[in-house]
Amino acid sequence: NLSFKASPGQIIGVHSPVACGKSSLRRIVLCEQPYLGSLTVNGTEFSAMQPDVRSALICYHGHEPELLSDTIKNNVLLGDKKDLWKYLKAVCLEDEVGHMPQRENTVTGETGIRLSGGQQKRLALARTLAHPRPILILDDPFSALDKTTEVEVFEHLRQMVPDSIIFLISHRLYLFSETDGVIWMDNGTAEFSSHKKLLKDNSAYRELYQLQTDYSVAKPTESAIERGIC
């Protein structure tokens, strides 16, 4: 019973516990799984579209990035003549690549083995931003990043793809306060609402958000440790 609308320029956060619907929603939008009800873009039903039409509409950035055994430049631009460093900067990777001996001509190795996990994630995201589609599905794109870098990359998303709808599937809720809407799924139910309304009305969402953002909840105090409470 999930119903929602999204418009170009909006970022929609998507969260659920394990096995509660995130992957199913992603497969439905990618037309990898049949669905009941209606899913339309500009009035056209998804399931009625030809595969090439859907491919031109949607870009999926998986949580396991697929990199070419090629240079950093070719992994991002795929042969296009664009400003590589603009996209590397957007994902906070320009300094690291700039300090590599071969810079943008550094070969990543098979599946990016010569890069760290965080570098692989950001390189794949740079490629996604360099080839935007009207709908971007970002599946846990920040999981290997520290919080400071994650916040900075998130701030660049709206700037880089202002005409795209972004579905941000994430286990981390502390960025959801900056989204335009949240899809929350739990125990066989799904709800589309604003972050502010979910904090007010949904106790499970509120508790998880507080756990991730409130250090007084997530981290025991020194005095508590000294007293042997923790």
Side-chain angles (χ1 to χ4, degrees), residues 10-25:
Q10 291 188 330
I11 299 177
I12 307 299
V14 182
H15 179 86
S16 79
V18 175
C20 285
K22 291 192 303 295
S23 296
S24 293
L25 179 63

Side-chain angles (χ1 to χ4, degrees), residues 17 19 52 55 71 94 105 138 156 183 198 230:
D52 60 328
S55 296
T71 64
E94 80 279 16
N105 294 315
L138 307 183
H156 293 157
I183 296 174
L198 282 169
C230 300

Side-chain angles (χ1 to χ4, degrees), residues 2-6 12 25 29 39 165 167 183 191-193:
L2 176 64
S3 179
F4 66 92
K5 293 182 179 180
I12 307 299
L25 179 63
V29 176
L39 178 63
I165 298 170
F167 290 97
I183 296 174
E191 179 181 1
F192 177 72
S193 188

Side-chain angles (χ1 to χ4, degrees), residues 120-131:
Q120 292 176 26
K121 289 268 190 179
R122 283 177 287 159
L123 189 63
L125 183 57
R127 179 177 60 199
T128 298
L129 297 178
H131 306 277

